[in-house]
Amino acid sequence: MKFLTKISVQKSWIIVCFFNFLIASLMGLLMRFYYLFPVKHINYSFLLHAHSHVAMLGWTYLMIYVLIVHFFIPKHKSSKPIYNQLFWLTEFSVVGMMISFSVQGYALFSIVFSTLHILLSYVFCGLVWRDCCKGKRTDKKLLLGAILFMILSTVGVWSLGPIIGMVGKHGILYQIAIQFFLHFQFNGWFLLAVLALFLKQFKNEIDKEQFKVFFILLIVSTIVTVAFPVSWYVKNNLISIVNAVGIVLQLIAFVYFYKMLKAQISWFKASLSATAKMVYSLAICSLFLKIIVQLLLLIPDIASSSHQIRGFVIGFIHLTTLGIITGFLFGILFQNKLLSANSSLVRSGVKCFIVGYIFTEIILFLQGGLFYFNIGLLPFYYESIFAASAFIVLGLILIIISELRIKKIRAD
């Protein structure tokens, strides 16, 4: 009975995460709509802040929270009230950010809720460290690395106050601090966490020597590639060289990632449903494309202009968040039947989501390319990006409806 209660609680958590994802996507769709029909009473900048925080902390962070508790925390510990209480307190902070950022942007209440989220994330890291990060399994080592990167990333946030006091919001230190936080959140905490969860799905322990090389290279490359966003504000050849070394090390790391899993790939694929295969393929392809994009950034002219072209920046962020991270999260959910792959609504929702994601990426990078070559605006750009984004929203709505139906049937 306790086990069933635990599953029921985590199912509720999953639905809440999807609602957060839907709200973030609706905010994104509203921003697309804004370019077609500007709305007087909507502050685009405020909405952008709300969208990014809810997507990053309400969807990605909380879904990783759910899956870490499910897969890494022993049942007798994960059933303790602290994990449930912490989840809902964290969701409270997300809702607070959702409202406050939309209404006032960066101001008193949004800062309070953001700070609360960081403090709660420290509590979560402490619980995970205490309850599961013992032992020599490779997935646990990867999770430990993810937690350390999460804590490291917040140094960027805590440094904002002193920086504003010394040089204000318009200095390069302020921008570097923000990029420091984002880099280690996305490329450190989120990416390593989903890879740890992914490795947890393999029954047999992988080759420890190959993992050791992969792990060291990935950690080092993640640390040194923070040089790339720093290079946007500090022009120095040494910084560019450090970033180039990091990108090459990352490429070698994922070559080892493939080598250490190669022997188990056939078994792994055979164990998956068609839907799980589809979303895992999305994640792997997006990871491959991310590596290619970063290799292209070794070309100085592309590197120097990439962050100035909005299509490239948003396209790359979505490649990481919607493609890689969400792709792996979806795959793990379907593989373990935490989402029902048998539901036609869910399958239709996933297909809509993937179609929307692929077309938004194509449009964003194509538009970025046109701006790079000074060609101008893609015909019907705003209309097409709005339509593609609507598919993402529709996909999430279908998934949520299906999961709510299934939850109701089980409750009856």
Side-chain angles (χ1 to χ4, degrees):
M1 184 62 71
K2 285 184 179 179
F3 177 71
L4 291 175
T5 302
K6 177 191 170 188
I7 294 295
S8 175
V9 167
Q10 291 183 359
K11 193 70 174 178
S12 299
W13 294 355
I14 290 169
I15 291 171
V16 166
C17 291
F18 270 95
F19 267 112
N20 291 340
F21 197 3
L22 175 60
I23 291 167
S25 299
L26 285 168
M27 288 176 172
L29 189 64
L30 185 55
M31 288 189 290
R32 306 291 190 205
F33 182 81
Y34 186 89
Y35 280 99
L36 293 171
F37 305 100
V39 182
K40 267 187 180 181
H41 303 294
I42 293 178
N43 185 305
Y44 183 90
S45 178
F46 292 178
L47 191 61
L48 175 60
H49 288 316
H51 162 77
S52 59
H53 280 79
V54 176
M56 184 169 70
L57 304 176
W59 161 246
T60 307
Y61 174 92
L62 271 180
M63 185 53 76
I64 289 173
Y65 177 110
V66 173
L67 294 178
I68 287 174
V69 171
H70 184 82
F71 289 107
F72 282 98
I73 308 299
K75 291 182 179 63
H76 67 282
K77 293 182 179 179
S78 64
S79 59
K80 290 181 179 178
I82 182 63
Y83 284 101
N84 190 44
Q85 293 164 357
L86 185 60
F87 176 88
W88 291 110
L89 279 172
T90 307
E91 173 61 14
F92 170 74
S93 72
V94 169
V95 173
M97 286 184 281
M98 185 190 302
I99 297 168
S100 57
F101 275 114
S102 300
V103 173
Q104 61 175 191
Y106 274 104
L108 175 62
F109 288 107
S110 57
I111 291 171
V112 167
F113 284 115
S114 301
T115 303
L116 175 60
H117 190 284
I118 291 174
L119 296 176
L120 292 171
S121 70
Y122 288 163
V123 175
F124 178 61
C125 288
L127 288 171
V128 174
W129 196 291
R130 181 195 71 186
D131 291 342
C132 95
C133 283
K134 292 176 183 177
K136 296 182 179 180
R137 279 190 60 92
T138 52
D139 46 31
K140 286 188 177 183
K141 290 180 180 178
L142 208 49
L143 180 59
L144 178 61
I147 287 171
L148 292 174
F149 275 131
M150 203 293 297
I151 295 168
L152 176 63
S153 72
T154 60
V155 173
V157 177
W158 297 126
S159 65
L160 289 176
I163 288 171
I164 292 171
M166 289 187 294
V167 296
K169 286 187 177 182
H170 303 292
I172 61 172
L173 281 178
Y174 180 84
Q175 296 300 327
I176 288 173
I178 291 174
Q179 294 304 324
F180 182 94
F181 169 73
L182 293 174
H183 174 81
F184 287 113
Q185 279 277 307
F186 288 115
N187 298 299
W189 159 228
F190 291 156
L191 184 57
L192 266 69
V194 295
L195 291 178
L197 289 162
F198 181 59
L199 288 186
K200 189 73 173 175
Q201 310 311 309
F202 288 80
K203 288 183 179 178
N204 299 321
E205 182 70 353
I206 58 181
D207 185 282
K208 284 185 169 59
E209 288 304 313
Q210 290 182 341
F211 172 81
K212 185 178 179 181
V213 176
F214 160 71
F215 184 64
I216 292 171
L217 290 177
L218 185 61
I219 295 294
V220 173
S221 66
T222 302
I223 292 170
V224 299
T225 50
V226 75
F228 180 62
V230 172
S231 71
W232 300 345
Y233 309 103
V234 180
K235 300 302 176 185
N236 186 296
N237 288 335
L238 180 60
I239 294 174
S240 299
I241 292 169
V242 169
N243 177 59
V245 170
I247 290 171
V248 173
L249 291 178
Q250 178 186 252
L251 174 62
I252 299 170
F254 281 104
V255 169
Y256 271 89
F257 181 74
Y258 170 74
K259 286 173 67 176
M260 72 186 188
L261 297 179
K262 187 178 178 181
Q264 298 190 56
I265 289 175
S266 297
W267 162 83
F268 185 75
K269 286 172 65 177
S271 69
L272 300 176
S273 66
T275 307
K277 284 179 185 176
M278 184 164 52
V279 288
Y280 271 137
S281 297
L282 176 75
I284 298 297
C285 289
S286 297
L287 180 60
F288 179 70
L289 287 172
K290 177 179 180 285
I291 293 168
I292 289 176
V293 170
Q294 288 182 289
L295 287 171
L296 288 174
L297 293 174
L298 294 176
I299 301 171
D301 189 45
I302 296 177
S304 62
S305 60
S306 61
H307 71 287
Q308 298 169 352
I309 300 174
R310 185 172 176 79
F312 285 161
V313 174
I314 302 302
F316 187 76
I317 291 171
H318 285 183
L319 184 67
T320 303
T321 55
L322 296 180
I324 302 169
I325 296 169
T326 298
F328 275 118
L329 293 175
F330 274 18
I332 293 162
L333 289 167
F334 282 118
Q335 183 181 359
N336 294 278
K337 298 180 173 55
L338 296 171
L339 282 180
S340 176
N342 297 323
S343 166
S344 58
L345 268 181
V346 167
R347 290 197 300 270
S348 298
V350 170
K351 288 173 184 176
C352 284
F353 176 87
I354 291 174
V355 167
Y357 162 71
I358 290 173
F359 276 98
T360 53
E361 287 298 280
I362 291 171
I363 294 164
L364 285 167
F365 278 106
L366 183 58
Q367 181 57 68
L370 292 180
F371 278 148
Y372 179 77
F373 291 108
N374 295 313
I375 295 175
L377 196 66
L378 189 71
F380 302 105
Y381 169 72
Y382 294 115
E383 293 83 355
S384 57
I385 196 89
F386 176 82
S389 300
F391 271 92
I392 294 175
V393 171
L394 176 59
L396 293 174
I397 290 172
L398 292 176
I399 292 171
I400 290 171
I401 289 173
S402 175
E403 290 305 301
L404 287 174
R405 280 184 181 178
I406 292 168
K407 193 171 186 292
K408 185 176 185 302
I409 290 168
R410 286 175 179 170
D412 294 340

